């Protein structure tokens, strides 16, 4: 409700006001303040300057990097999902899937996607915070579930749980989800299987964003494929990749870091390989540019294989 939202805003703003006064904290570059501004409209209060402050020319240079503990990020995401009405158990799963991406260095699918993929879509009614998961059809080895347009971050784990249970009992388990939404990194689900001593395989469809070889319009989805295999080492073998050179999440990351997109990842309607990250993100929404398939534009590097 609105009272809960207001309470969260005040609590979060108070914590940020306290945090910004700590040594080495820069409110203009720290990602926590950006998140606060996006989710709660937070504006940091400016402490009055003193005559003893060093002038810009003599002040020591500060790094723009900020290291935030994974536990803190997980708690923040958990609280954010709760504020949208996600149940505590599902909010915990959602936060766990996202933080696992950051832990693996897949910054394109971690906390950076909390707002644009999940919060914004719940705000727009594209997905719902807490819908039931219904089993539509089921056999010993197969199942079809309906996610009812809930958050894919908790639908995906439920599907893999069912698949693992069936595999343990019958040798193989295969579950398909309908009416689901973005489910984060595919590698999370393959690792669920390897942790249970199974070979895991997962994939998902995606909206058209890839231009076929020698094409310029987005017609194919990134449609990632992933599989994991238990090993004799302390970790499994897991490969998780899209069928494109790059995907939107990484381009969003380039934008946050102020970097150009590497040439060969994106092509526009005029056949030009684009590198202007901000322009790419705007034109992708309008269908004016597209990702290139694995291998890149054209056939010289085997783009048709992607």
């Amino acid at each position: 409700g609105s009272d809960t939202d207001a309470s969260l805003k005040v609590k979060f703003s108070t914590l940020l006001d306290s945090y910004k006064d700590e040594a080495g904290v820069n409110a203009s570059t720290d990602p926590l303040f950006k998140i606060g501004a996006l989710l709660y409209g937070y504006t940091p209060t400016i402490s009055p300057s003193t005559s003893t402050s060093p002038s810009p020319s003599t002040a020591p240079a500060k790094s723009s990097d900020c290291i935030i503990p994974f536990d803190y990020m997980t708690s923040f995401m958990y609280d954010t999902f709760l504020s949208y009405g996600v149940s505590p158990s599902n909010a915990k799963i959602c936060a766990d899937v996202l933080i696992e991406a950051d832990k693996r260095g897949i910054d394109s699918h971690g906390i950076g996607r909390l707002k644009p993929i999940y919060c914004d879509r719940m705000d727009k009614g594209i997905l719902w915070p807490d819908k039931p998961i219904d089993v539509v059809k089921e056999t010993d080895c197969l199942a079809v579930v309906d996610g009812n347009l809930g958050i894919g971050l908790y639908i995906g784990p439920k599907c893999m749980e069912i698949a693992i249970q069936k595999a343990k009992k019958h040798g193989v388990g295969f579950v398909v989800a309908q009416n689901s939404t973005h489910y984060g990194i595919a590698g999370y689900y393959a690792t669920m299987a390897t942790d249970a001593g199974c070979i895991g395989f997962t994939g998902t469809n995606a909206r058209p964003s890839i231009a076929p070889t020698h094409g310029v319009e987005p017609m194919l989805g990134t449609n990632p494929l992933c599989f994991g295999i238990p090993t004799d080492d302390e970790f499994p073998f897991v490969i998780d990749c899209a069928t494109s050179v790059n995907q939107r999440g990484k381009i969003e990351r380039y934008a946050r870091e102020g970097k150009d997109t590497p040439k060969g990842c994106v092509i526009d309607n005029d056949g030009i390989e684009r590198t202007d990250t901000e322009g790419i993100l705007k034109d992708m929404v309008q269908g004016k540019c597209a990702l290139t398939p694995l291998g890149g534009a054209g056939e010289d590097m085997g783009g048709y294989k992607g």
Side-chain angles (χ1 to χ4, degrees):
S2 58
D3 290 342
T4 302
D5 293 342
S7 176
L8 284 171
K9 179 178 179 180
V10 171
K11 181 179 179 181
F12 190 70
S13 297
T14 302
L15 289 172
L16 283 182
D17 278 336
S18 175
Y19 172 61
K20 76 175 180 59
D21 293 329
E22 294 184 11
V25 174
N26 187 335
S28 63
T29 59
D30 192 311
L32 279 179
F33 294 94
K34 295 180 181 179
I35 293 171
L38 291 171
L39 290 179
Y40 300 112
Y42 170 79
T43 302
T45 56
I46 307 300
S47 301
S49 59
T50 62
S51 58
T52 57
S53 299
S55 64
S57 59
T58 60
K62 289 184 179 180
S63 170
S64 60
D65 294 334
C66 179
I67 299 176
I68 302 173
F70 287 129
D71 289 346
Y72 188 99
M73 294 166 63
T74 303
S75 296
F76 174 80
M77 291 189 286
Y78 172 77
D79 289 341
T80 300
F81 282 119
L82 285 181
S83 72
Y84 273 87
V86 181
S87 70
S89 59
N90 284 340
K92 184 177 184 300
I93 295 171
C94 291
D96 190 56
V97 177
L98 290 180
I99 201 62
E100 185 64 23
D102 287 311
K103 288 179 178 179
R104 298 187 188 190
I106 310 174
D107 299 332
S108 58
H109 281 63
I111 192 172
R113 291 217 135 175
L114 175 63
K115 180 184 183 297
I117 297 296
Y118 305 103
C119 295
D120 285 358
R121 292 182 181 182
M122 284 188 283
D123 288 337
K124 295 176 181 178
I126 297 174
L127 60 86
W128 299 90
D130 208 38
K131 288 288 186 176
I133 303 172
D134 300 320
V135 178
V136 180
K137 296 180 181 179
E138 188 173 21
T139 67
D140 288 344
C141 298
L142 308 173
V144 176
V145 305
D146 193 323
N148 295 297
L149 296 181
I151 303 175
L153 296 173
Y154 67 75
I155 297 171
K158 181 61 177 180
C159 290
M160 184 53 79
E161 285 180 8
I162 297 173
I164 291 170
Q165 292 171 2
K166 291 180 178 296
K168 289 289 188 180
K169 187 174 181 180
H170 302 289
V172 63
F174 193 91
V175 180
V176 177
Q178 65 185 27
N179 296 319
S180 184
T181 55
H182 196 282
Y183 78 159
I185 57 167
Y188 183 92
Y189 308 103
T191 306
M192 286 180 63
T194 61
D195 286 345
C198 300
I199 294 174
F201 179 84
T202 181
T204 182
N205 64 323
R207 60 187 176 187
S209 58
I210 300 176
T213 304
H214 297 310
V216 295
E217 297 180 16
M219 300 178 70
L220 309 172
T222 52
N223 304 344
L225 295 173
C226 172
F227 63 85
I229 305 171
T231 70
D232 293 332
D233 296 314
E234 296 180 357
F235 50 86
F237 174 85
V238 177
I239 182 169
D240 174 7
C241 53
T243 54
S244 55
V245 173
N246 223 330
Q247 34 74 30
R248 183 182 176 89
K250 274 195 175 175
I251 297 175
E252 290 172 348
R253 175 188 167 187
Y254 297 146
R256 292 195 298 270
E257 297 175 348
K259 295 181 179 179
D260 288 340
T261 297
K263 188 175 182 180
C265 296
V266 177
I267 191 169
D268 67 14
N269 289 353
D270 295 322
I272 299 172
E273 295 183 20
R274 298 271 293 276
T275 61
D276 56 313
T277 300
E278 294 291 349
I280 287 171
L281 290 173
K282 292 178 182 178
D283 285 350
M284 284 186 72
V285 176
Q286 301 177 37
K288 295 181 179 180
C289 63
L291 303 172
T292 57
L294 194 62
E299 60 186 52
D300 292 342
M301 298 297 290
Y304 53 90
K305 296 180 181 179

